[in-house]
Structures are given as structure tokens and as C-alpha cells.
Amino acid sequence: LSSEITSYAHSYQQDYYTIIHDKLSYYKINPSSIHYVTSNLYEPKIYNKWCSDNNITDKIVIHSYNFFAKAAQHYSFFQENSEDSASITVDEHLKFKTANNIKTFSNLNRVIRTHRIGLLYMLNYYNLLDNSHTSFANFDKSHRVPYSKHAAWTQGNIKNTRKKLPLTLDVTDFNVNQAQNFFKETYLNTWYSVITETFFQDYFKYSMFFSEKIFKPMRARHPFVLVGQPYALDELKKIGFKTFNEFWDESYDVCRNPTDRLEKICELIAQLNKLSKKEWIDLYKR
């Protein structure tokens, strides 16, 4: 609807609340009869503020519901034959990791996103890429990292990184969605996961969304570092999950500048990669 025919203040670029309420008014539908379920954890707060700003008392009922947290509880969500093939016990980890020389971390990527490219360049710049389980498709040279300056996205490092692509692990076709695949081998064959979530920076004030990516390592009992939106770890804690601040510095979570947050994440990865097998085994037991 154009701004000329709405009486509500615009809250951001596309004011869906205005559109919905105007349509409900036009069709004489009571807003309180509408129940809206969303995986955006910030939606109720944002909507309530919009209602307050526009003096709306008859509200849609918004349910913030983390779909993937629920779905990942069940092995049937994954393309596996049994619960054993879609989860890993601590004993399994300890047995495999004690007997084998494994990689440092797992970092699975399919869809090309700016923050994933930025992290890839930075991992290569700090020599953190080669001993990891990282997947990454080849991508067009036109992709840029529009964050503040960093030596990792100068032409020399970009060219050096792109020579290593594609990085393949279990699959070579990056067009196939792997959301419901449980890649058990990568969790056994690495000490921890570096999870590049769907969203990293854009609109973090308006959305907080967790996909299946973060719940897979939880199901695998695999420690993780989260490359996600600012305050994502804090939001995970609010909905009842524990993270790893007892074991390492998670202050990257509150760093809002995207370049600085990637830098702090890489500093943490470098520290974790220095841990010995004995130290990791002890950490798993704890």
C-alpha cells in the first residue's frame, strides 16, 4: 500500500504490519483472530512497539517459535535410518578422537553469503583453513566483502584463497540443500564446529533467526563457535541453551562491527587450534 492511503507510521523499509492491518480493516477481520507463527525471535517485541507507536490495541497474536530447534530433536528430520545415525554420544567422540589424528574444526558452507566469504578469506589469511574440514563452492569474482578494511580481503589473499576453491567434503553439488543431512563424519573427525549461520549482520535489530545449522552440532554433542548475528549466543541462552563461555572467551557475540567480530572469531579459532589432544579430551569430559 502506498504511504498516501495508510495512517500508520513506517517502522522500516517494508512495513508489513501496516499492510496487514490495513487489509484486515478493509475486509473487516478482527486482528485478534489471526495467529501468526514465526521463527524470528524478535518479532513479538518489534510488533508490540509498532502497535504502541501507532496506538493499536487490537493486535494480531504473534507466536515466536524456533522451528528448527524442535525439528532437530527428532532423527526423522534428517535423512537417516535410525537415531544412532543422526546423533553422536560423548563416548563415541572420545573413542574416535583418542584413536585418530583429526582435523581442527568443521565449517560447512553451501549458499554463498557475504559473511561466509569474509570468514573464508580471513581463515586463509591467518592460515587456519588448511587443517580444517571446510566446504565452500566456487563463486563469481564479483562478490565483494563490503565491511571495514582488513588485510584478509586485499587482492593477494583473495586470489590465494580462490585458488583453493571449491573445497568439497561429503558432496560436490552445492545446489542440493543439505539442511536435513546429518554429516556424522565431520563431527567425529574434528574437535569443534564453526557455524556460519544464515544471517550475520543485516537487520539484526529486526530479526534473530536460528536455522538447523546451529542445532546439528548440538545434536552431535559437538562444541561450536557461532558466526551469527550480534547477541546470537545471548539469545540462545535466553531460550534455555548453554554455550561455552565456561571454556573460552565468547565476547565476539557482543561485537557489532562485522569486521571486528570476524577478527575476534578468528582469534578464538587460532587459540582453540593450539589446544592439545589431551586438553580437548579433558574439555569433552567436562
Side-chain angles (χ1 to χ4, degrees):
L1 297 178
S2 67
S3 59
E4 288 79 10
I5 59 173
T6 179
S7 57
Y8 306 123
H10 287 278
S11 56
Y12 51 98
Q13 282 185 321
Q14 185 68 30
D15 197 338
Y16 292 107
Y17 301 144
T18 294
I19 295 171
I20 292 169
H21 273 265
D22 280 347
K23 288 292 186 181
L24 292 174
S25 176
Y26 179 82
Y27 288 108
K28 296 181 172 55
I29 299 172
N30 190 328
S32 62
S33 67
I34 305 296
H35 286 247
Y36 170 46
V37 182
T38 173
S39 289
N40 179 9
L41 302 184
Y42 286 173
E43 197 78 45
K45 177 177 65 177
I46 295 166
Y47 177 64
N48 285 332
K49 184 181 185 307
W50 181 88
C51 288
S52 176
D53 291 344
N54 290 282
N55 298 315
I56 302 297
T57 56
D58 196 2
K59 302 178 182 180
I60 298 165
V61 183
I62 295 185
H63 303 272
S64 179
Y65 181 76
N66 204 316
F67 167 78
F68 287 107
K70 191 68 174 178
Q73 288 182 347
H74 305 282
Y75 80 85
S76 57
F77 173 73
F78 302 102
Q79 297 169 357
E80 305 295 340
N81 297 322
S82 69
E83 189 162 6
D84 288 343
S85 58
S87 62
I88 307 174
T89 67
V90 175
D91 285 342
E92 281 183 278
H93 275 296
L94 292 175
K95 182 178 179 181
F96 186 92
K97 287 169 166 53
T98 300
N100 294 277
N101 291 321
I102 64 174
K103 302 287 186 178
T104 51
F105 60 86
S106 170
N107 176 221
L108 307 179
N109 301 276
R110 189 181 70 85
V111 177
I112 302 300
R113 297 186 186 277
T114 298
H115 63 285
R116 293 172 182 168
I117 296 174
L119 178 66
L120 179 75
Y121 289 155
M122 203 175 277
L123 290 174
N124 187 69
Y125 179 77
Y126 288 119
N127 297 313
L128 301 171
L129 191 59
D130 292 341
N131 195 38
S132 69
H133 253 212
T134 296
S135 62
F136 215 103
N138 217 330
F139 56 89
D140 189 86
K141 292 181 180 180
S142 63
H143 284 278
R144 296 288 184 266
V145 182
Y147 303 149
S148 54
K149 290 183 178 180
H150 192 281
W153 28 89
T154 53
Q155 287 303 311
N157 185 62
I158 289 173
K159 186 176 180 179
N160 179 266
T161 306
R162 290 182 58 85
K163 287 180 181 177
K164 301 179 180 181
L165 300 178
L167 295 169
T168 59
L169 296 172
D170 54 332
V171 296
T172 58
D173 187 353
F174 288 89
N175 293 310
V176 178
N177 195 316
Q178 302 294 323
Q180 291 183 261
N181 286 5
F182 187 83
F183 188 12
K184 189 170 184 174
E185 291 79 6
T186 195
Y187 301 120
L188 288 172
N189 210 27
T190 55
W191 292 112
Y192 65 104
S193 289
V194 175
I195 302 298
T196 49
E197 256 294 2
T198 303
F199 299 121
F200 180 70
Q201 187 67 20
D202 293 344
Y203 306 115
F204 75 90
K205 292 181 180 179
Y206 302 119
S207 69
M208 181 58 66
F209 169 73
F210 295 107
S211 72
E212 84 291 340
K213 298 173 190 64
I214 192 59
F215 301 110
K216 285 183 178 182
M218 291 185 188
R219 186 173 180 89
R221 295 175 174 84
H222 204 231
F224 59 81
V225 174
L226 179 56
V227 186
Q229 294 167 277
Y231 313 109
L233 291 180
D234 186 56
E235 291 298 326
L236 275 177
K237 293 173 185 176
K238 286 180 182 177
I239 58 176
F241 293 99
K242 289 184 179 180
T243 60
F244 300 93
N245 55 296
E246 178 184 348
F247 303 102
W248 56 69
D249 180 12
E250 291 186 330
S251 61
Y252 65 86
D253 186 53
V254 300
C255 183
R256 290 174 55 176
N257 180 283
T259 301
D260 293 345
R261 190 155 74 262
L262 288 175
E263 176 76 20
K264 288 178 73 69
I265 287 170
C266 284
E267 288 175 1
L268 174 59
I269 290 171
Q271 292 171 12
L272 294 178
N273 287 359
K274 292 177 183 178
L275 295 179
S276 66
K277 176 181 282 195
K278 182 179 183 302
E279 288 172 313
W280 272 114
I281 294 296
D282 178 63
L283 189 148
Y284 266 75
K285 290 177 179 179
R286 290 165 61 193

